[in-house]
């Protein structure tokens, strides 16, 4: 009797091929963009001061622009973190804009303060003295520039995340049909609809291995793929089968069938080891209930 041929592994998707390069691309984008902008500005500023005949040394425009660029590079990780904590929500747009307006003021103060510090240091090394000018006037001028930079960077981050979700595949809950009864319970879905690069397909809820909160999205992990669902972790918890899924942390829900072992910690928390080797946190608040269910 011949042995049946093994089923070939599915070809990696565009998102799978991108993932190993994702961190390098993201860091490289900001480094190249900000430094290229600093180089271009240094050249044009030097040309402008020469055109009007100002007494400025050749190295000064480079110090002005690169001191600003280095601070922006330091601020970018903070912006990435903040936009995750304050994700774009159209139903809460006023709050979103208010929080970002307040954050832009803080960013401007950090940017200008650090930038001036670097310039003072650079001028001192060159045997010269740097004068920022009247702080009240100059801060207003710098804020007008910084808020435009801040808005552009936040917009770039949000657009990138939107494109990444489209490439990754975005999940939605099945809605009730316009006519007739639904084929499956809408309040406790048995399947999710995945939209990916213009295609739609269904995935079984039982195939979801674990879920993780990510801003105003929840990432559904299944078969090595992550699919974002626009929901809160508490909102999707009420829609999942409690006999199959359990909340184990403020940011995690796990499929009980995927748990291989529970490792208790001295802190009262625990680590969950899944059958595929994934390790998830379990807070002490949920540990006792989880042990009873498992």
């Amino acid at each position: 009797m011949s042995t049946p041929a093994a089923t070939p592994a599915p070809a990696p998707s565009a998102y799978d091929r991108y993932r190993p390069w994702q961190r390098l691309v993201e860091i490289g984008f900001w480094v190249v963009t900000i430094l290229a902008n600093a180089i271009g500005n240094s050249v044009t500023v030097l040309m402008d001061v020469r055109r009007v005949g100002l007494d400025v040394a050749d190295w000064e425009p480079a110090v002005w622009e690169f001191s600003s660029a280095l601070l922006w590079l330091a601020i970018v990780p903070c912006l990435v973190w903040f936009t995750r904590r304050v994700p774009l929500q159209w139903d809460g747009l006023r709050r979103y804009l208010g929080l970002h307006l307040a954050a832009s003021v803080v960013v401007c103060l950090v940017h200008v303060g650090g930038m001036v510090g670097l310039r003072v240091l650079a001028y001192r090394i060159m045997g010269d003295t740097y004068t920022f000018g009247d702080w009240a006037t100059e801060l207003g001028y710098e804020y007008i520039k910084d808020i435009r930079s801040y808005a552009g960077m936040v917009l770039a981050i949000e657009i990138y995340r939107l494109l990444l979700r489209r490439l990754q595949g975005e999940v939605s809950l099945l809605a009730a049909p316009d006519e007739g009864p639904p084929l499956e319970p809408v309040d406790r879905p048995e399947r999710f609809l995945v939209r990916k690069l213009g295609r739609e397909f269904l995935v079984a809820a039982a195939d979801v291995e674990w879920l993780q909160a990510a801003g105003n999205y929840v990432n559904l992990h299944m078969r090595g793929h992550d699919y974002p669902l626009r929901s809160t972790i508490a909102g999707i918890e009420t829609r999942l089968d409690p006999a199959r899924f359990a909340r184990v942390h403020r940011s995690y829900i796990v499929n009980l069938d995927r748990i291989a072992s529970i490792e208790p910690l001295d802190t009262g928390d625990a680590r969950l080891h899944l059958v595929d080797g994934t390790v998830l946190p379990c807070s002490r608040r949920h540990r006792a209930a989880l042990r009873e269910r498992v």
Side-chain angles (χ1 to χ4, degrees), residues 9-260:
S13 65
Y15 178 72
D16 293 330
R17 293 193 297 271
Y18 174 66
R19 285 182 69 180
W21 301 93
Q22 182 175 347
R23 182 58 60 87
L24 181 62
V25 170
E26 291 170 353
I27 295 174
F29 169 80
W30 291 111
V31 170
V32 170
T33 301
I34 292 175
L35 294 186
N37 184 65
I39 293 172
N41 287 346
S42 298
V43 173
T44 55
V45 170
L46 182 60
M47 293 172 63
D48 288 339
V49 297
R50 289 289 174 264
R51 184 179 296 113
V52 298
L54 294 178
D55 184 18
V56 173
D58 292 344
W59 54 268
E60 290 186 80
V63 169
W64 302 340
E65 297 301 329
F66 277 90
S67 60
S68 174
L70 290 176
L71 262 297
W72 279 121
L73 285 175
I75 289 170
V76 165
C78 301
L79 281 183
V80 172
W81 172 85
F82 185 70
T83 51
R84 286 200 184 103
R85 299 287 295 180
V86 186
L88 175 61
Q89 295 178 330
W90 295 112
D91 55 348
L93 187 59
R94 181 177 298 180
R95 176 179 177 273
Y96 174 84
L97 293 177
L99 289 173
H100 276 285
L101 183 62
S104 69
V105 175
V106 176
V107 165
C108 177
L109 293 175
V110 172
H111 175 240
V112 174
M115 177 181 70
V116 171
L118 290 177
R119 292 177 183 180
V120 169
L121 178 62
Y123 272 69
R124 185 171 299 171
I125 292 173
M126 297 302 294
D128 205 340
T129 302
Y130 177 76
T131 303
F132 182 61
D134 179 67
W135 276 87
T137 303
E138 296 299 328
L139 268 178
Y141 170 75
E142 293 293 338
Y143 180 71
I144 292 174
K145 295 194 302 180
D146 283 1
I147 193 173
R148 290 183 298 176
S149 298
Y150 179 96
M153 295 169 85
V154 169
L155 182 62
I157 291 170
E158 294 289 2
I159 291 176
Y160 170 73
R161 286 180 178 156
L162 176 62
L163 294 176
L164 202 60
R165 287 194 296 268
R166 294 292 181 266
L167 184 66
Q168 182 180 0
E170 193 166 2
V171 177
S172 62
L173 296 167
L174 296 175
D178 295 334
E179 297 181 1
L183 298 178
E184 60 186 61
V186 176
D187 59 338
R188 184 149 296 161
E190 299 172 0
R191 296 176 296 173
F192 294 98
L193 177 66
V194 176
R195 294 184 176 88
K196 185 174 182 179
L197 299 178
R199 297 173 52 231
E200 294 184 351
F201 56 93
L202 295 172
V203 296
D207 290 338
V208 178
E209 298 160 2
W210 50 285
L211 303 90
Q212 179 183 11
N216 58 339
Y217 279 82
V218 175
N219 286 325
L220 280 62
H221 298 259
M222 61 185 83
R223 300 173 184 173
H225 295 275
D226 300 338
Y227 298 109
L229 168 69
R230 193 175 184 87
S231 172
T232 62
I233 194 77
I236 190 60
E237 180 185 11
T238 62
R239 309 289 291 272
L240 296 173
D241 184 358
R244 184 181 298 274
F245 293 92
R247 182 79 170 268
V248 295
H249 187 272
R250 63 185 178 87
S251 299
Y252 292 90
I253 296 174
V254 69
N255 187 328
L256 297 174
D257 294 336
R258 302 291 176 171
I259 299 177

